[in-house]
Amino acid sequence: ETGVTQTPRHLVMGMTNKKSLKCEQHLGHNAMYWYKQSAKKPLELMFVYSLEERVENNSVPSRFSPECPNSSHLFLHLHTLQPEDSALYLCASSREVAGANVLTFGAGSRLTVL
Amino acid sequence: TQLLEQSPQFLSIQEGENLTVYCNSSSVFSSLQWYRQEPGEGPVLLVTVVTGGEVKKLKRLTFQFGDARKDSSLHITAAQPGDTGLYLCAGATRWGAGNMLTFGGGTRLMVKP
């Protein structure tokens, strides 16, 4: 248990489905992130919420939609996904240590798009 | 886009051997972090290095930040099967009031008993 909880841990969905990934942290961190981890690719930052302000990677398709209702909860809404979106989606929260943001990751949600 | 290149990508060694993993970039980072990720889990922070030339030791792991703050290395002495995992370096650049992390592609280490 890292302090960052992600649900579900595994998700299989069709291309026409709508689903959501959930992330929760009770570490008192004030920034939360969604990362995508695919085979043979570096971790890709998708979205950052810091003090409830959103920063996004402009290359993320609009079929991914984040929501951050408060500093402890983060969602990733998924709709009309493609098979290439199959990946491990990691949520993280951060605190600053010696001037550097240190991430605490959840265990991830393994997504398979059929 | 800032790129962090890690080498080697894969490493399989016997228990007791030493190894070094490299993390290189053409960009300068305000700090650099190393994470380890085990199967079915998210990455876990090992260390943060902030000052150019800094060396930090964590038991059998030695981390070094290059003088120019563009590169880093991780050296493991007498590797053990418990060291098996994916090692990720991440460089931080200032963004607003905080930092943005760029991750390397990772080094997958397997230590055989």
Side-chain angles (χ1 to χ4, degrees):
Chain A
E1 178 59 53
T2 66
V4 177
T5 304
Q6 289 189 242
T7 54
R9 292 293 309 274
H10 300 273
L11 179 63
V12 179
M13 59 188 287
M15 289 192 284
T16 58
N17 292 157
K18 287 186 181 181
K19 297 284 184 184
S20 296
L21 306 180
K22 180 182 175 182
C23 178
E24 191 171 345
Q25 62 96 4
H26 296 288
L27 299 169
H29 295 173
N30 60 7
M32 295 186 77
Y33 309 74
W34 281 114
Y35 280 89
K36 178 182 178 182
Q37 189 173 35
S38 309
K40 300 180 182 178
K41 275 186 157 185
L43 272 169
E44 298 173 69
L45 177 64
M46 299 176 74
F47 302 101
V48 180
Y49 277 88
S50 178
L51 299 174
E52 298 178 15
E53 178 186 353
R54 184 172 99 191
V55 176
E56 58 192 273
N57 180 342
N58 289 330
S59 66
V60 176
S62 59
R63 55 187 183 265
F64 294 93
S65 174
E67 179 189 0
C68 187
N70 55 60
S71 60
S72 298
H73 295 86
L74 185 65
F75 296 90
L76 188 62
H77 303 301
L78 317 168
H79 62 98
T80 59
L81 294 192
Q82 304 298 311
E84 61 264 29
D85 297 322
S86 299
L88 181 67
Y89 289 84
L90 289 162
C91 173
S93 64
S94 70
R95 60 187 170 96
E96 195 158 313
V97 176
N101 264 0
V102 170
L103 298 180
T104 301
F105 284 90
S109 294
R110 172 74 57 188
L111 173 66
T112 303
V113 181
L114 301 177
Chain B
T1 303
Q2 297 168 315
L3 293 177
L4 267 173
E5 294 189 8
Q6 284 188 241
S7 61
Q9 291 184 7
F10 300 96
L11 192 54
S12 180
I13 61 172
Q14 292 295 134
E15 182 175 2
E17 292 184 16
N18 301 332
L19 67 118
T20 302
V21 175
Y22 299 94
C23 178
N24 295 298
S25 176
S26 57
S27 301
V28 176
F29 295 103
S30 57
S31 64
L32 197 135
Q33 300 171 14
W34 284 91
Y35 292 79
R36 184 172 75 198
Q37 184 177 18
E38 298 186 26
E41 301 296 331
V44 175
L45 179 73
L46 295 173
V47 78
T48 301
V49 284
V50 179
T51 307
E54 183 176 1
V55 177
K56 279 192 174 177
K57 292 194 175 184
L58 194 67
K59 296 183 181 178
R60 295 176 293 100
L61 278 59
T62 302
F63 303 85
Q64 185 162 7
F65 200 11
D67 290 340
R69 305 208 315 277
K70 293 182 180 180
D71 52 80
S72 181
S73 63
L74 157 60
H75 182 79
I76 302 180
T77 303
Q80 298 177 1
D83 296 326
T84 293
L86 177 67
Y87 288 82
L88 297 163
C89 66
T93 50
R94 300 299 300 183
W95 166 70
N99 290 274
M100 197 69 72
L101 288 181
T102 300
F103 279 84
T107 294
R108 195 165 295 280
L109 171 65
M110 176 176 290
V111 182
K112 300 175 190 173

